[in-house]
């Protein structure tokens, strides 16, 4: 068990108690949780999650309800380690991934370092995963903010009568579910006779100057064309124009040319 080896090394190098928090038992990997691993000689470096909970409770960091909840939960998840050592003041903790998962579920992770431990160590991949989750939450919040802006924009347009909606294209039962006629682009082409321009970033569609049936055609534009038109008409400033192009590049929009002014 590599973590106990690291705990032994830290204890020898720093002259401080170093304990690995790992729920018992530990199984031999190849036995599919049928054979427990022998950890003889490692007892002085192993602790259960419950011992950490009791330590936090002794320091007044948990309410009685929190402690009872933790005891009930951990009773089903782990067994006590034989000959488990008492925590010394200023001990170093190495949290096993499984132990960290249990503490996170109990909502007590942020209280561990207040229980008299000098240092709490977790694996680097856990830190990376946590960072990824934080970044994902930030991205989600940004997307939600953008969607709310779009909803507000559409709502105002509908109220003023500026926005109109075409009908959904119906597909007969004889046509297969994977028919191209169900594609949203086909709905846009159907609307060609009711509008002057179709703004699309689909490279199949916008490679044509115009689309639609004979006598009912509409010119195609891209998002870049629209941005350029807004800038040329002074609806948006040069700063807003170039900033929008930069955002498109960062979002993975391909083939956004640079201009000399940029």
């Amino acid at each position: 068990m590599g973590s106990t080896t690291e705990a032994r090394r830290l204890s020898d190098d720093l002259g401080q108690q170093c304990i690995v928090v790992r729920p018992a038992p530990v199984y031999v990997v190849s036995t599919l949780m049928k054979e427990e691993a022998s950890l003889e000689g490692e007892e002085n470096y192993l602790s259960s999650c419950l011992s950490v909970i009791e330590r936090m409770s002794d320091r007044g960091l948990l309410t009685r309800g929190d402690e009872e909840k933790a005891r009930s939960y951990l009773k089903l998840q782990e067994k006590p380690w034989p000959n488990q050592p008492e925590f010394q003041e200023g001990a170093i903790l190495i949290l096993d991934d499984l132990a960290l998962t249990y503490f996170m579920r109990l909502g007590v992770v942020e209280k561990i370092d207040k229980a008299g431990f000098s240092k709490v160590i977790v694996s680097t991949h856990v830190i990376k995963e946590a960072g990824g989750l934080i970044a994902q939450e930030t991205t989600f919040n940004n997307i939600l903010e953008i969607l709310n802006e779009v909803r507000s924009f559409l709502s105002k347009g509908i109220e003023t009568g500026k926005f109109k909606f075409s009908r959904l294209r119906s597909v007969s039962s004889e046509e297969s579910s994977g028919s191209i006629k169900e594609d949203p682009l086909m709905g846009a082409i159907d609307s060609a006779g009711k509008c002057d321009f179709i703004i699309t970033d689909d490279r199949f569609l916008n490679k044509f100057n115009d689309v639609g049936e004979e006598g009912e055609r509409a010119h195609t534009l891209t998002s870049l064309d629209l941005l350029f038109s807004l800038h040329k008409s002074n609806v948006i400033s040069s700063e807003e124009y170039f900033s929008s192009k930069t955002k498109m590049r960062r979002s993975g929009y391909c083939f956004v040319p640079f201009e000399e002014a940029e």
Side-chain angles (χ1 to χ4, degrees), residues 27-48:
Y27 296 97
V28 177
V29 176
S30 59
T31 64
L32 300 176
M33 299 181 68
K34 293 182 179 179
E35 180 183 344
E36 293 186 17
S38 175
L39 299 175
E40 186 176 353
E42 308 290 338
E43 295 92 341
N44 292 334
Y45 302 96
L46 288 169
S47 169
S48 65

Side-chain angles (χ1 to χ4, degrees), residues 91-237:
I92 298 172
L93 286 191
I94 298 178
L95 295 185
D96 175 272
D97 291 357
L98 184 57
L100 181 59
T101 299
Y102 290 169
F103 289 137
M104 289 176 67
R105 289 179 178 174
L106 292 170
V108 298
V109 174
E110 72 282 357
K111 299 178 181 179
I112 297 177
D113 64 340
K114 300 175 183 178
F117 302 111
S118 63
K119 187 181 295 184
V120 180
I121 301 173
V122 297
S123 62
T124 54
H125 84 267
V126 170
I127 297 175
K128 290 180 179 178
E129 183 179 351
L133 290 173
I134 293 172
Q136 187 178 40
E137 183 179 7
T138 301
T139 301
F140 173 78
N141 290 334
N142 291 338
I143 292 173
L144 190 60
E145 183 178 346
I146 292 171
L147 287 174
N148 286 333
E149 290 178 358
V150 172
R151 290 190 186 104
S152 177
F153 176 71
L154 289 174
S155 178
K156 291 177 182 178
I158 294 171
E159 288 177 1
T160 59
K162 283 189 174 182
F163 296 155
K164 295 182 180 180
F165 296 90
S166 62
R167 293 182 178 180
L168 288 174
R169 182 184 177 89
S170 60
V171 181
S172 64
S173 58
E174 289 80 12
E175 294 175 315
S176 64
S177 59
S179 172
I180 192 173
K181 293 187 178 183
E182 289 185 318
D183 194 293
L185 289 177
M186 297 303 295
I189 295 174
D190 282 347
S191 302
K194 305 178 184 65
C195 60
D196 297 319
F197 298 96
I198 293 177
I199 300 173
T200 175
D201 293 323
D202 184 276
R203 292 177 62 197
F204 170 78
L205 198 60
N206 63 29
K207 68 182 178 181
F208 302 105
N209 290 326
D210 51 65
V211 294
E213 301 294 336
E214 191 66 33
E216 293 186 344
R217 303 186 69 82
H219 295 288
T220 60
L221 295 177
T222 66
S223 297
L224 277 174
D225 295 326
L226 179 60
L227 276 176
F228 180 77
S229 177
L230 292 173
H231 178 230
K232 189 176 180 181
S233 303
N234 295 319
V235 177
I236 60 175
S237 65

Side-chain angles (χ1 to χ4, degrees), residues 21-23 47-54 56 74 78 81 84 98-100 102-103:
V21 182
R22 172 64 166 91
S47 169
S48 65
C49 295
L50 182 58
S51 294
V52 179
I53 292 294
E54 291 173 342
M56 288 190 285
L74 293 174
E78 65 172 8
W81 286 105
Q84 179 173 296
L98 184 57
L100 181 59
Y102 290 169
F103 289 137

